């Protein structure tokens, strides 16, 4: 008699658990592969943004100013460029300038305001320009006091 058995192999519990684990891992890998490769839905519709110039009068109203903002006296060396305000920052300073009577626009330090005229630096007193190597300092308009911000605040 031979010691070899012919017929279907025996299924043990260890081989059954191993096979089921292998099928579960393969199914999980396929599931995550399908899930991660699916296209992502759009968060918002693709619409071209419309860029409009902000209304300075509305911004002035937020800070209690009515009507036109005051600008510095014109400097004959700058032509029709007026300093309306300054934003002082060590790296990101900017000057709010009105060029040719247009609404004020922020010019960062280093930007060319007009041909040959660059904004060199901004400090608490005004702006410094460079026109063909000549340094031109223009004072910013006088700031109103802080009491303007607290004028209508309720008193404790």
């Amino acid at each position: 008699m031979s010691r070899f058995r012919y017929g279907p192999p025996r299924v043990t519990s260890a081989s059954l658990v191993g096979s089921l684990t292998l099928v579960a891992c393969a199914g999980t890998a396929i599931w995550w592969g399908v899930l991660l490769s699916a296209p992502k839905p759009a968060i918002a519709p693709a619409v071209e943004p419309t860029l409009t110039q902000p209304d300075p009068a509305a911004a002035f109203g937020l800070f209690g100013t009515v009507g036109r903002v005051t600008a510095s006296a014109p400097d004959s060396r700058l032509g029709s460029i007026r300093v309306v305000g300054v934003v002082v920052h060590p790296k990101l300073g900017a000057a709010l300038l009105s060029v040719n009577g247009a609404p004020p626009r922020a010019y960062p330090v280093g930007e060319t305001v007009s041909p040959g005229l660059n904004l060199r630096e901004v400090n608490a007193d005004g702006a410094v320009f460079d026109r063909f190597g000549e340094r031109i300092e223009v004072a910013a308009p006088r700031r109103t006091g802080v009491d303007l911000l607290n004028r209508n605040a309720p008193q404790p």
Side-chain angles (χ1 to χ4, degrees):
M1 203 156 206
S2 167
R3 293 185 62 90
F4 296 108
R5 292 174 100 188
Y6 295 104
R10 284 176 131 188
V11 178
T12 63
S13 62
S15 64
L16 182 63
V17 168
S19 298
L20 289 177
T21 303
L22 183 64
V23 169
C25 287
T28 303
I30 291 171
W31 168 259
W32 280 108
V34 169
L35 190 66
L36 294 175
S37 66
K40 305 286 185 258
I43 294 174
V47 177
E48 192 66 30
T50 57
L51 300 176
T52 59
Q53 290 291 340
D55 180 20
F60 300 150
L62 288 174
F63 296 103
T65 306
V66 181
R68 301 224 18 115
V69 82
T70 59
S72 64
D75 190 327
S76 61
R77 297 175 291 179
L78 294 179
S80 61
I81 299 172
R82 292 177 174 232
V83 177
V84 176
V86 292
V87 178
V88 180
H89 188 272
K91 295 180 183 175
L92 305 173
L96 194 60
L97 306 175
S98 174
V99 180
N100 296 330
R105 178 172 99 73
Y107 288 86
V109 173
E111 186 171 332
T112 301
V113 178
S114 66
L117 181 69
N118 296 327
L119 181 61
R120 185 181 206 178
E121 66 181 78
V122 176
N123 54 41
D125 299 323
V128 179
F129 296 93
D130 181 30
R131 179 180 284 288
F132 301 114
E134 178 188 5
R135 182 180 169 101
I136 303 170
E137 294 185 32
V138 179
R142 188 174 125 324
R143 293 183 293 261
T144 58
V146 190
D147 60 333
L148 174 70
L149 298 174
N150 299 327
R151 186 178 358 190
N152 295 325
Q155 299 300 321

